[in-house]
Amino acid sequence: MRASILCLAMACLLAGPGSQGSEDPYAPARRQMVREIEADVVQTRREVGTKSLDRRTLEAVGRAPRHEFVPAELRRFAYDNRPLPIGFGQTISQPYIVALMTDLLGVEAGDRVLEVGTGSGYQAAILAELGARVYTVEIIPQLAERARLTLARLGYRAVEVRDGDGYYGWEEHAPFDAVVVTAASGHIPQPLVRQLKPGGRLVIPVGGPFMTQELVFVEKTAGVVRTRQVLPVVFVPLTGGH
Ligand code: SAH
C-alpha cells in the first residue's frame, strides 16, 4: 500500500508542469511528430540555414497538446505533420512550419511576442511554452473566442487573445521582442515593423493568395531593417481592411 502511494507521488513529480503525465495517450504520437519535424529540417537545411532547431523549440513542440487545438473529429490526425482545417476556411499550420517559425523568432523566457492570426491558438501555446508573454490577434471573432477558451482550459495564462485586424498590431502592448504573422500578406505590414523593439525579429509569409509565398525573416537593428527569404510556404491570406 505504502509503496503504491509512493509510486503515485513519483509519477506526479515526474509529470512536472505543463505535462499531461505518464497517462497521455498522445505522447508517443507527439514524439514521432517531433522526429518528423527534425527530419524535415535536415531535408530543408540549405534553405533554412541550419540542420537542427534549438532544443527548447523541439521541447516546446513536444509538450503542447496539439490534439486539444484541432476539431474533435480530426483528433486522430492531430500529430500528423500536416495542416488541418479548423473551420471558417482556416487551418492550423503544419507542425514543421510552426516549429521553424518559432525557432526563427529566437524567443527567450519573458519576451513579449505578438502573433497575428490566432486561429486555433496552437502557435500561441508553443510560444507560451517557451516562457513568452503572448499577445495574439484574430480577425474571426468565433475563432478568437474558441482559442481563448481552449488556452484558458489548458492553463496557458500568459496568452492574451483579442479579436480584430492584426495588420495594425497591438499598440498598447508594444514594443515586442518578436512578431509572428501566420497568414500571408502581399507586403510586410509597417505597423508591425514599427512595433518591434530594436533587435526584434518578425517572421511572416509574404505573397499573394493561392500561390506559393515566401517565409520572410525580418530583423530590426538600430533603425536598419534586414530581410531574408527562408522558404516557400503556403498560408491562408491575411484579410482585413488595410
Ligand atoms: N496560428 C494559427 C494558424 C492560423 S491560420 C494556429 O496556430 O492555429 C491564419 C489565421 O489568421 C486565421 O485564423 C485567420 O482568420 C487569421 N487572420 C487572417 N487575417 C487576419 C488579420 N488581418 N488579423 C488577424 N487575424 C487574421
Side-chain angles (χ1 to χ4, degrees):
M1 179 64 184
R2 192 174 290 156
S4 64
I5 290 172
L6 185 66
C7 278
L8 258 173
M10 289 279 287
C12 288
L13 273 175
L14 288 171
S19 141
Q20 309 239 314
S22 50
E23 299 306 316
D24 179 4
Y26 291 97
R30 200 157 47 238
R31 278 196 295 275
Q32 176 59 27
M33 181 186 83
V34 171
R35 283 193 289 270
E36 286 174 30
I37 291 170
E38 290 183 279
D40 276 0
V41 173
V42 171
Q43 287 250 298
T44 53
R45 63 189 177 281
R46 233 167 270 136
E47 292 94 318
V48 304
T50 178
K51 60 183 190 337
S52 58
L53 302 184
D54 192 293
R55 183 183 44 80
R56 291 178 313 126
T57 303
L58 294 172
E59 283 170 0
V61 175
R63 275 195 306 270
R66 193 170 190 258
H67 62 277
E68 299 281 1
F69 294 90
V70 304
E73 66 276 16
L74 297 177
R75 275 201 170 172
R76 64 186 185 283
F77 307 119
Y79 295 100
D80 288 2
N81 188 18
R82 59 165 160 138
L84 291 171
I86 54 171
F88 304 93
Q90 307 304 321
T91 54
I92 178 173
S93 308
Q94 181 189 2
Y96 156 67
I97 294 292
V98 174
L100 177 63
M101 291 173 87
T102 303
D103 204 71
L104 286 165
L105 293 172
V107 173
E108 303 277 346
D111 277 1
R112 303 163 73 79
V113 181
L114 171 70
E115 180 192 24
V116 177
T118 315
S120 68
Y122 177 66
Q123 170 75 78
I126 300 282
L127 295 166
E129 288 282 355
L130 286 164
R133 172 95 219 144
V134 187
Y135 301 92
T136 179
V137 187
E138 170 55 54
I139 205 162
I140 299 176
Q142 295 94 324
L143 283 179
E145 182 57 15
R146 198 170 67 198
R148 198 178 284 127
L149 292 173
T150 306
L151 289 160
R153 177 167 55 79
L154 297 172
Y156 287 106
R157 285 192 205 85
V159 184
E160 209 175 310
V161 184
R162 177 167 77 81
D163 52 284
D165 188 346
Y167 180 91
Y168 303 99
W170 196 335
E171 196 70 60
E172 299 90 300
H173 296 295
F176 301 101
D177 297 280
V179 176
V180 61
V181 183
T182 62
S185 174
H187 61 271
I188 299 169
Q190 285 315 296
L192 301 183
V193 176
R194 265 202 302 280
Q195 290 177 25
L196 264 187
K197 284 183 191 172
R201 284 93 43 210
L202 164 69
V203 175
I204 179 173
V206 177
F210 314 114
M211 57 183 278
T212 301
Q213 306 127 9
E214 276 290 331
L215 192 63
V216 176
F217 173 78
V218 181
E219 198 168 20
K220 180 173 170 180
T221 45
V224 185
V225 177
R226 282 200 197 86
T227 64
R228 172 167 77 86
Q229 298 195 352
V230 182
L231 196 73
V233 287
V234 182
F235 274 81
V236 295
L238 190 75
T239 60
H242 53 272

